[in-house]
Amino acid sequence: MIENYIKDGYVILNCPYDHEYINNLKIEINSLFKNDEDVSLSINSLDTNDKTFNKIINILNTDEIQAFTKSLSEHYNTTVSLLPNFHIMRNYHVNRLKANRIGWHRDVASEFGYEYCKEKIKNEKYVFGKVGIFLQENSEDYGGAVDVIPASHLNIKNNKFLRILSSLRLQFLVILQKKLLKFYKLLPEKFYIFFLGAKKTKAKPGSPIFFDSRIQHRGSPIKDKFLRNTKRLGDMHVLVPKTYTKISIYAYFGSTDGADSYMYARTKRPTNEYKRYFTGWKKEIDNYKDIKNLYNSMSAVIEPLIDKYKDN
């Protein structure tokens, strides 16, 4: 499992829950949103005594996830843990005809703008990424999970030229979609997936998908012919027929070096919401004190960073 993650930049774990449990959880989570166009919800904002809150925490703290983060810790010889923010995304879809970069992106992209982060990314103890738990099938018509370009995280730690070279095919498609949309529409998405060497992840609903922050990925797109049944809410959010509502549970994961690089880039952003971003992390972690293993591992990762970011 760990070998696949290192080689491909992502891995799919087993889900210990049956279809009925996951489907019922999806219904419960969907009922937490105030209106049809709301797209995100912080798990930390829920009542800790609420049954849905506890179900969400349980699905983020399964034996499978604990075993995987432990294997990462052993491989990199540093503590690796789930990290804030724990949040729910609803209807994070891609309209492949209109989305910026056709939806493809690296979560680490903003860190490339800072020498401090680039040095951290070279560190062998740098581990950072997301785990997504998708509560529906990844359908051909409306998506439901994530697409990835396996191994696209390689060659980007030390060599800018190799990073650019490895992205040339994607850059060509981005230009094609932006400048020659009529031509771009002529070919089916399956061709572009093949051209990029990409994969549409297929996993049992509720299965955790861990992906490195350096890998190229996107929300799986909606087929063109079904776009007329949707309403675009933003670059990456699309209101779809209720039968195809997409619910995703997300958390970050990483080591101290990975968290440091991520936090450095976030706190350099000009908007006020990021000035006390680390404080928000610490408050969220404190909210999980009753889940000892999770609280202890998260605390171990951020403890060396407290003095650095406490005044931001």
Side-chain angles (χ1 to χ4, degrees), residues 17 21-33 41-60 86 88 135 247 249 288:
Y17 300 99
Y21 183 92
I22 294 298
N23 192 54
N24 288 338
L25 178 59
K26 181 180 178 179
I27 293 169
E28 287 180 32
I29 289 175
N30 197 40
S31 71
L32 298 174
F33 288 85
L41 181 68
S42 170
I43 295 169
N44 191 46
S45 68
L46 303 179
D47 182 351
T48 56
N49 294 316
D50 184 81
K51 65 175 184 177
T52 306
F53 171 87
N54 286 294
K55 286 181 181 180
I56 294 168
I57 294 302
N58 287 340
I59 207 170
L60 281 169
F86 292 1
I88 298 160
L135 303 187
I247 298 290
I249 301 170
Y288 306 130

Side-chain angles (χ1 to χ4, degrees), residues 63-274:
D63 291 344
E64 289 78 6
I65 287 178
Q66 290 180 45
F68 182 68
T69 53
K70 182 180 178 182
S71 69
L72 286 174
S73 300
E74 291 171 348
H75 178 82
Y76 290 101
N77 194 29
T78 186
T79 301
V80 175
S81 174
L82 294 191
L83 294 167
N85 307 107
F86 292 1
H87 61 285
I88 298 160
M89 297 294 289
R90 184 169 67 166
N91 286 328
Y92 186 94
H93 292 282
V94 168
N95 177 332
R96 78 177 191 114
L97 305 181
K98 294 184 178 180
N100 182 47
R101 290 179 53 82
I102 325 171
W104 292 105
H105 64 284
R106 304 182 199 268
D107 288 341
V108 77
S110 64
E111 292 168 51
F112 288 131
Y114 304 98
E115 289 299 323
Y116 181 84
C117 297
K118 285 191 282 189
E119 288 302 313
K120 284 290 180 182
I121 290 170
K122 294 177 186 178
N123 192 324
E124 289 303 316
K125 294 186 185 296
Y126 175 94
V127 183
F128 205 77
K130 272 185 182 175
V131 53
I133 301 174
F134 304 95
L135 303 187
Q136 55 282 313
E137 301 282 352
N138 199 3
S139 78
E140 295 297 327
D141 295 340
Y142 284 93
V146 65
D147 294 347
V148 296
I149 303 179
S152 56
H153 65 307
L154 303 176
N155 296 324
I156 72 168
K157 290 199 299 183
N158 302 314
N159 193 312
K160 183 178 180 180
F161 173 75
L162 288 177
R163 183 171 80 241
I164 294 171
L165 187 64
S166 67
S167 297
L168 283 180
R169 285 179 295 177
L170 176 56
Q171 293 303 325
F172 170 74
L173 293 190
V174 169
I175 293 170
L176 189 64
Q177 180 239 33
K178 190 172 183 179
K179 302 294 185 180
L180 297 168
L181 183 59
K182 287 184 179 180
F183 181 78
Y184 178 82
K185 289 167 66 175
L186 292 176
L187 295 173
E189 187 60 27
K190 283 186 177 180
F191 169 80
Y192 295 122
I193 288 284
F194 172 78
F195 178 73
L196 292 172
K199 284 188 176 180
K200 185 187 189 77
T201 58
K202 292 290 188 179
K204 174 184 171 185
S207 299
I209 303 179
F210 278 76
F211 50 95
D212 191 301
S213 64
R214 297 165 293 194
I215 197 174
Q216 293 276 14
H217 65 283
R218 66 173 181 181
S220 298
I222 300 167
K223 264 190 181 175
D224 297 355
K225 69 178 182 178
F226 295 107
L227 290 173
R228 68 175 69 92
N229 301 327
T230 70
K231 177 181 178 182
R232 196 162 184 243
L233 302 176
D235 191 41
M236 299 298 176
H237 290 96
V238 181
L239 184 61
V240 296
K242 290 187 177 181
T243 304
Y244 299 99
T245 295
K246 177 181 177 181
I247 298 290
S248 314
I249 301 170
Y250 279 110
Y252 288 105
F253 69 94
S255 63
T256 298
D257 279 290
D260 186 16
S261 178
Y262 170 83
M263 191 60 61
Y264 184 93
R266 282 297 184 277
T267 54
K268 291 296 181 183
R269 291 185 176 185
T271 53
N272 288 330
E273 64 181 300
Y274 290 104

